[in-house]
Amino acid sequence: MVSQHGILLAAHVISSFYGDLCSKVCECLLRKGTLKLDEIGKSTQLSRENVFNCLRVLIHQNCVQAFQLEQEGVKAQKSTHYMVLFDNIMHKLRATKFMQIVSEELGEDCRGIFDGLIQHGRLSLDQIIDREKQKTGSSDNQVVHDSFRRLLSARFIERCPLPGPLLTPPTDEAPAKKRGAKSGEITERKTIEQLALEAAAPSELIRFSMDTGDISEEKGEESTSIPKVGQKRKNIVLDSDDELADVNRKIEVLWRVNFEEFLWRLIHKACISHVKTSINNEASIVLSAALDLIGQSETRMNAENSPDLSINDIYEEVIKKDGGVGMDLDRVQTSLEQLGCETLATDMESYSIDIKSFIQMAQNQEVESMILKRYGKEAYKIFRLLSRAGRLVETDKISDITFVEKKETTKILFQLWKDGYLHMESMTAARPPSFHLWKVDQKRFREKFLDEMYHAVLNLKLRIAHEQDQRKEKIGLNDLSDVLQVLQIPKDKLVGELRNKVMVYRIVRATLERSLMDLDDAVVLFHHF
């Protein structure tokens, strides 16, 4: 479930990219969940044609996934449902980060192709080639093919999911027990949305393959209903009242950005930054090398612990890093011990890295930094104690451990509780007075903290838009495109009052966007992990 400010932020992002009508459809799906076409129209009060057009745009931009559901009791009839992909909407804010990663690792040729996928959502290889021809004026397709393969090899791009997988209605049967689980332990039932995403996803066998073929055959579902995808966004067909077109044919392969790979890179960066400040630079180099090795794992985003890594493999990666050339094997082993990496009982030369612990430490650092800035040093010490304890602690004990006066401790605890950061339990003793127990409710706190970050990101986005409108008036231009052209003029060619106004705007915008990027790093930590 997306929080209130998360919904408002997603609606704002869609509005800024694709207009108010698409934003209205998106907000409707975020608030009400998966809906049919007619239900969206009834809720938004938009015409059928407008809803169609909005869904076409949102599907093409990977912000909505359609799926078909067999109607109960009517085997031949299917209804089409639409689910919003909140995570993909948030990735629109990270396009600059993604493009920087591609540029640094693969170069500008690959970045040009990647920029097209960021802008258009999904493209075929032929469309990518045509786009690059128009940009460069070159007729050499080999350069584009080579760049495309490099993006695919790095897993920065992937095949698009099926446009409308067919699902059967979920049964009311009890979920099955886990294999090897303790008696009575059962799996959590998957939602229809999770099942739809799994059914739509291409298999790992072809996800990063350029081989063409019948996707429905690859999925082993020859009867899967797939709409024909044409060359343009407008040709994503939503034919009948509540159904996608039924076709069983080979379809043109479309490609999109693989957001999962970039999330791994961002969490990689956050963990290394945390280790560098909390331990030392050598430990951060060793962790970076280990994470590069883990990066080759297929299940890295879900694994709490790394696969077994040999000390020799880690050392070979370390000496490739800046600052790692002078490190010997003993220093690498010392850093691994500082990182808390465990050696295997059967092989003392192999290490396992607790990835989840590094993510949690980075999260704690973000939270404690916020508490320090907002409530002060004494509150920081109290919150840090409770966060590390993970259990109920009595007021007097908190005061004794943190060396904060009891009166001040009580005041801070009640303030944090009032603001939703702590859980309190009142205990009545045999003899008065009663006393209170405190702890950090991690689930509730994470939800609140994440919602506050969404609120802050939304405020920054609105402030950036306000600064742009305000500067447009001060520069004396009416059209936004004219303002953007002026802002691209080199500094040494600007003169007089116009130069001062443009320079002020550039500084303000750069400061706001840097703050936005830093805040988004924290959002990634808490939302995706």
Side-chain angles (χ1 to χ4, degrees):
M1 177 68 85
V2 181
S3 67
Q4 177 65 23
H5 287 111
I7 292 173
L8 294 176
L9 174 58
H12 173 76
V13 170
I14 293 298
S15 177
S16 62
F17 279 100
Y18 312 116
D20 292 339
L21 293 184
C22 285
S23 175
K24 197 169 186 178
V25 170
C26 173
E27 186 171 357
C28 170
L29 291 172
L30 283 166
R31 293 191 182 279
K32 296 183 177 294
T34 301
L35 296 173
K36 300 180 193 176
L37 180 71
D38 290 341
E39 293 170 337
I40 297 172
K42 187 181 297 184
S43 179
T44 59
Q45 299 297 307
L46 295 177
S47 68
R48 183 179 185 79
E49 182 180 3
N50 281 337
V51 175
F52 262 165
N53 291 335
C54 290
L55 288 172
R56 287 168 181 160
V57 171
L58 293 172
I59 290 172
H60 198 84
Q61 291 294 336
N62 306 302
C63 297
V64 165
Q65 173 69 49
F67 64 91
Q68 296 181 96
L69 195 62
E70 284 186 347
Q71 295 183 10
E72 294 187 50
V74 187
K75 189 174 182 180
Q77 292 190 11
K78 301 178 288 290
S79 58
T80 303
H81 300 250
Y82 302 92
M83 57 183 287
V84 68
L85 304 176
F86 175 76
D87 290 354
N88 287 4
I89 295 173
M90 292 300 296
H91 292 322
K92 300 288 180 185
L93 299 173
R94 302 173 186 131
T96 303
K97 294 179 182 178
F98 298 164
M99 287 191 286
Q100 183 179 356
I101 292 173
V102 172
S103 183
E104 289 175 353
E105 295 194 17
L106 301 180
E108 292 302 314
D109 288 339
C110 290
R111 173 173 171 153
I113 294 175
F114 187 81
D115 180 65
L117 290 171
I118 286 286
Q119 181 181 348
H120 297 288
R122 48 182 73 184
L123 295 171
S124 68
L125 182 56
D126 288 341
Q127 289 172 327
I128 291 170
I129 292 172
D130 290 342
R131 184 177 181 275
E132 291 302 302
K133 282 182 179 179
Q134 292 174 5
K135 283 174 56 182
T136 63
S138 172
S139 59
D140 185 8
N141 295 343
Q142 190 60 43
V143 174
V144 180
H145 276 279
D146 291 344
S147 298
F148 184 86
R149 287 192 180 94
R150 290 174 67 198
L151 285 166
L152 205 55
S153 178
R155 301 198 168 198
F156 288 155
I157 59 175
E158 63 178 355
R159 288 196 187 212
C160 290
L162 296 176
L166 177 62
L167 304 179
T168 56
T171 62
D172 294 330
E173 296 178 6
K177 291 184 179 180
K178 290 182 179 178
R179 290 184 182 178
K182 294 179 181 179
S183 178
E185 188 178 355
I186 58 175
T187 58
E188 189 174 329
R189 189 192 301 274
K190 291 182 179 178
T191 64
I192 192 68
E193 289 81 8
Q194 290 172 323
L195 294 172
L197 290 176
E198 289 178 1
S203 73
E204 289 296 325
L205 184 65
I206 69 161
R207 184 181 174 189
F208 303 105
S209 170
M210 290 183 67
D211 293 338
T212 58
D214 191 334
I215 295 178
S216 63
E217 288 179 6
E218 179 274 323
K219 297 287 284 188
E221 299 171 359
E222 294 184 359
S223 63
T224 299
S225 299
I226 308 171
K228 183 179 180 181
V229 182
Q231 291 184 342
K232 299 291 184 181
R233 172 191 311 167
K234 64 184 181 180
N235 290 334
I236 295 178
V237 183
L238 307 174
D239 284 342
S240 61
D241 286 349
D242 286 314
E243 297 180 43
L244 295 169
D246 286 329
V247 291
N248 290 303
R249 68 186 73 172
K250 291 185 178 181
I251 67 172
E252 186 176 27
V253 177
L254 296 178
W255 303 90
R256 69 175 186 177
V257 174
N258 177 21
F259 297 120
E260 181 182 297
E261 183 66 30
F262 290 96
L263 284 176
W264 168 250
R265 305 297 175 107
L266 293 177
I267 199 65
H268 179 161
K269 178 183 174 183
C271 290
I272 292 170
S273 176
H274 167 71
V275 167
K276 188 173 183 178
T277 56
S278 61
I279 303 179
N280 57 44
N281 187 52
E282 286 193 350
S284 71
I285 293 172
V286 172
L287 178 62
S288 177
L291 289 174
D292 284 347
L293 291 173
I294 298 168
Q296 302 167 10
S297 170
E298 299 290 342
T299 58
R300 59 183 178 270
M301 291 291 290
N302 299 319
E304 293 187 0
N305 292 289
S306 73
D308 301 340
L309 304 174
S310 77
I311 183 64
N312 292 327
D313 289 341
I314 296 172
Y315 177 71
E316 288 178 7
E317 286 294 322
V318 166
I319 60 178
K320 296 176 185 177
K321 302 284 182 183
D322 292 338
V325 177
M327 295 179 66
D328 57 24
L329 204 58
D330 289 340
R331 288 164 68 182
V332 171
Q333 287 179 317
T334 300
S335 293
L336 286 168
E337 291 171 4
Q338 290 175 322
L339 291 169
C341 300
E342 298 180 353
T343 56
L344 303 180
T346 57
D347 184 2
M348 298 300 290
E349 295 298 314
S350 294
Y351 289 82
S352 176
I353 297 177
D354 186 354
I355 303 171
K356 185 177 180 181
S357 70
F358 288 113
I359 295 172
Q360 288 176 340
M361 285 189 288
Q363 290 173 337
N364 290 340
Q365 190 178 49
E366 288 288 341
V367 172
E368 290 163 6
S369 175
M370 181 275 293
I371 294 291
L372 179 62
K373 292 175 183 177
R374 186 177 296 181
Y375 298 99
K377 187 176 180 180
E378 308 299 340
Y380 163 78
K381 290 195 293 184
I382 291 171
F383 185 86
R384 182 182 173 87
L385 168 66
L386 293 173
S387 179
R388 297 293 190 272
R391 56 183 174 79
L392 290 165
V393 183
E394 199 263 326
T395 307
D396 288 343
K397 191 171 183 180
I398 295 171
S399 177
D400 293 340
I401 295 173
T402 58
F403 298 103
V404 179
E405 291 184 3
K406 184 177 178 181
K407 184 176 180 181
E408 183 66 17
T409 298
T410 303
K411 179 182 176 182
I412 291 171
L413 287 168
F414 272 100
Q415 184 63 53
L416 292 172
W417 169 74
K418 180 180 177 182
D419 291 346
Y421 296 116
L422 295 181
H423 169 73
M424 178 187 71
E425 291 187 13
S426 298
M427 305 298 291
T428 303
R431 296 180 180 178
S434 61
F435 60 96
H436 303 289
L437 300 174
W438 310 85
K439 74 172 182 178
V440 176
D441 186 336
Q442 294 291 346
K443 184 176 184 299
R444 181 185 173 197
F445 170 74
R446 285 172 61 91
E447 291 173 353
K448 176 178 175 56
F449 187 66
L450 190 57
D451 187 57
E452 288 182 352
M453 288 192 288
Y454 287 144
H455 193 186
V457 171
L458 177 59
N459 285 341
L460 279 171
K461 291 287 292 180
L462 293 173
R463 176 64 185 274
I464 291 171
H466 171 73
E467 287 292 334
Q468 188 166 282
D469 291 339
Q470 190 178 52
R471 203 55 51 184
K472 181 172 64 175
E473 295 175 4
K474 289 185 177 181
I475 293 175
L477 298 173
N478 295 323
D479 191 78
L480 179 58
S481 61
D482 293 337
V483 176
L484 296 176
Q485 289 179 6
V486 169
L487 294 174
Q488 292 172 359
I489 297 174
K491 181 172 64 174
D492 57 342
K493 293 186 178 181
L494 292 169
V495 295
E497 187 68 19
L498 179 61
R499 183 180 188 278
N500 295 334
K501 291 177 179 178
V502 170
M503 292 307 298
V504 168
Y505 174 72
R506 284 176 175 172
I507 293 171
V508 171
R509 185 181 178 95
T511 302
L512 291 173
E513 289 185 341
R514 188 163 53 251
S515 299
L516 182 62
M517 293 298 100
D518 291 343
L519 188 56
D520 181 64
D521 287 341
V523 172
V524 170
L525 270 177
F526 281 85
H527 178 66
H528 295 282
F529 301 92

